[in-house]
Amino acid sequence: MPFDEFARAYAAELAGNQDALDALRQSIAGHDVVTLLFSSQDADHTHAGLLRDALAA
């Protein structure tokens, strides 16, 4: 699956789980640093970056 297609699907999945996303935001709110782990050699094309952006929104 091309990354742009994956990104759209992942964004839709996150949007459909707003309660879980809000709970994660609450859980990390008190931390100065949050580390999102992923297993890929291509750091620009992972779910971690998409999740980071969704959490920051």
Side-chain angles (χ1 to χ4, degrees):
M1 172 184 300
F3 184 72
D4 59 337
E5 187 178 327
F6 169 77
R8 283 191 300 273
Y10 193 66
E13 184 175 346
L14 290 174
N17 290 292
Q18 196 62 49
D19 289 343
L21 194 56
D22 289 342
L24 182 55
R25 278 190 192 107
Q26 267 190 320
S27 178
I28 65 174
H31 299 275
D32 292 332
V33 175
V34 175
T35 302
L36 301 174
L37 301 178
F38 60 92
S39 177
S40 174
Q41 293 181 1
D42 184 356
D44 294 327
H45 297 98
T46 70
H47 72 286
L50 300 171
L51 181 56
R52 176 201 60 218
D53 295 345
L55 290 169

